Structure formats: structure tokens, C-alpha cells
Amino acid sequence: MEPNVVSIKGRGSGLIEIRFAKDLAYQQIREGFVTKLKNSKSFFRGSSPKVIIWGRPMNKAQKWDIRNLLSMDYDITNVKFEDELDDEELELISTSNIPEPNISNYKKISDLGAGSFPPQKDKFEQEIDVESQTVAVKSSITRDSSFISQTIRNGQRVELDGDVTILGDINDGAEVFATGSIAVLGTLRGLVHAGSNGNNNAVVAAFRMMPRQLRIGKKIAAFPDDLEAKYPEIARIEKGKITVSPISGRDLK
């Protein structure tokens, strides 16, 4: 059997069942899911299905990310996760014959030490496996904030709960997701999503704000390729849309 992190099966009457592998870091699940979706475009297109996803616990940020993938690329909006199912739906998955994903060639979370940050530790050194790259991230963390003292490079993806400060750049092709605000003490060229759990009060600040795409809460803003930034700026949602302005004294209070 080929290695696989997700199993997908049609159940009839427009219902699609998706089963994620249980013991892998979310970054690995997401990468495999994106690949599976690309190979199954004809299966999803035009069907407007109801989707049930189960097999592993998912936090709010991860659920929002998966829903966003299905909505933006496949126009699928009727998505429910295992802890959101009613009794009838739970009975359905309890009798499911969808194959368990085969992860024999993948490193499990227990082997990686990755996937989420320990909430009780004040300081630690953590290795995060990001799209087949192992990135050593030195962090000073509290329950609500994280500090990363390195550049996030092309092809790397970091996800955190709470606010995050990055002492370095976010390169083009890199992605950073946080349920709180994101501060970049360097150049922001990649994709960032502050308030990834739907928090529209989060902000993004950077010494040089030059992202490909910036997301706050449920809002998305694209930036021109030839954008140049000459001073520190902050992005926030004002009057229902993302606005970018120079950082002022009031933003530092």
C-alpha cells in the first residue's frame, strides 16, 4: 500500500467522507490533503457535496484553514468535523469502511516532537517539520505569545496559537499562520494570516511590508509584485476591509 495521509470516499446522496491520519503533524496532513485534492478535482467539481472530516482532533485555526481550502478552490462550504457531528452522522462514521490512511513512511508526532507548542513551558527549543524541511525554531513562549529568532524561508510553513513575533524575514513562498497578531522585525514577502481562527481584531506589523498576500480574520488582501516598503507599517481591519498604514506612536502603546 502506498503511503497516504488522507482517505476520501463518496457515500452517495452528495456526501463525501474524508478521514485524516491520526498521528501526524498538521503540516503533513495539509500537504497530503492538498495533493489529494489536486488529483481529485473532477470528483469535487460541480457536485456541491456535504463533507464530513474525521480521524484526528483539529483546533479552530486548522478547521478554518481546511474550510478555506475547500471553499476557495472547490466552492465547497458544507463542511463538518468529527466534534461537530450530530448523532446520525456519528453513527455513520462508526460503521464506516473508509480505509485508514497508511502512514508507514511518515514520521509520527511522537517522533518529530512537532505539530504544536507545549503551553506550559516558558522557554524551549522546538523542531518543526514543514513540507519535508526540518526547521529549528528557537522560541521564548508564554501561553499567549511566541518569539521566533530566524527567517522563515521559501517552502516553510509555521502555525502558532496566540501572537507571534519573528526576528527575521518571511521570504516569498513562506507561510505563517497565527490565531493572534503577527509582528515581523524584518521584511515580510510571503503569506501571513493573523487571526487565523477568525479573529478580526488581530493585526500584522512589519519593518518592510511587501507580502504576496495578507489575511486577517476572514479578510484577504493581495499586494502588487512591484510593491516597495520604505518604513514600518501595520495592517488591520477597518470598516470591513484590510488597511495598511505607517506605524505611529499609538500603535506602540
Side-chain angles (χ1 to χ4, degrees), residues 205-219:
F207 279 178
R208 298 183 69 205
M209 184 86 73
M210 303 165 60
R212 289 285 185 176
Q213 188 183 101
L214 187 149
R215 306 176 186 176
I216 299 177
K218 297 182 180 180
K219 300 294 182 180

Side-chain angles (χ1 to χ4, degrees), residues 9 52 78 81 116 133 159-160 174 183-184 186 199 231 243 248:
K9 183 177 182 179
I52 291 177
N78 189 358
F81 293 86
S116 62
Q133 300 183 48
E159 297 182 46
L160 293 166
V184 183
N199 176 16
Y231 39 76
T243 63
S248 63

Side-chain angles (χ1 to χ4, degrees), residues 119-230:
Q120 301 299 328
K121 292 186 179 181
D122 293 327
K123 295 182 179 179
F124 63 96
E125 188 170 305
Q126 177 80 30
E127 284 198 350
I128 305 176
D129 185 70
V130 184
E131 297 189 2
S132 301
Q133 300 183 48
T134 301
V135 185
V137 178
K138 293 181 179 179
S139 301
S140 297
I141 188 168
T142 66
R143 291 174 183 268
D144 301 313
S145 63
S146 304
F147 183 85
I148 297 176
S149 56
Q150 72 172 67
T151 289
I152 312 301
R153 304 189 183 281
N154 177 29
Q156 296 173 351
R157 178 185 174 96
V158 174
E159 297 182 46
L160 293 166
D161 289 328
D163 302 326
V164 58
T165 300
I166 296 174
L167 182 58
D169 301 331
I170 300 178
N171 289 349
D172 189 17
E175 299 180 352
V176 175
F177 288 71
T179 57
S181 297
I182 299 172
V184 183
L185 306 186
T187 300
L188 168 52
R189 289 192 175 92
L191 182 153
V192 296
H193 189 170
S196 59
N197 60 348
N199 176 16
N200 287 333
N201 294 318
V203 302
V204 176
F207 279 178
R208 298 183 69 205
M209 184 86 73
M210 303 165 60
R212 289 285 185 176
Q213 188 183 101
L214 187 149
R215 306 176 186 176
I216 299 177
K218 297 182 180 180
K219 300 294 182 180
I220 300 175
F223 289 73
D225 292 339
D226 58 353
L227 178 68
E228 291 188 10
K230 299 180 179 179

Side-chain angles (χ1 to χ4, degrees), residues 13-64:
S13 302
L15 176 64
I16 293 178
E17 183 183 357
I18 298 174
R19 182 176 181 178
F20 286 159
K22 182 180 180 181
D23 295 320
L24 293 182
Y26 177 69
Q27 291 90 347
Q28 295 172 300
I29 295 288
R30 188 184 193 279
E31 181 183 2
F33 188 46
V34 169
T35 299
K36 192 87 167 184
L37 289 175
K38 287 180 180 178
N39 294 334
S40 308
K41 284 185 177 180
S42 59
F43 187 66
F44 290 101
R45 288 266 167 87
S47 58
S48 299
K50 174 182 178 181
V51 173
I52 291 177
I53 299 174
W54 65 284
R56 76 187 306 273
M58 305 279 285
N59 64 36
K60 289 182 180 180
Q62 293 164 356
K63 288 180 182 179
W64 194 93

Side-chain angles (χ1 to χ4, degrees), residues 59-75:
N59 64 36
K60 289 182 180 180
Q62 293 164 356
K63 288 180 182 179
W64 194 93
D65 185 36
I66 293 297
R67 284 190 168 104
N68 193 49
L69 278 174
L70 291 170
S71 175
M72 293 188 68
D73 294 341
Y74 300 92
D75 199 27

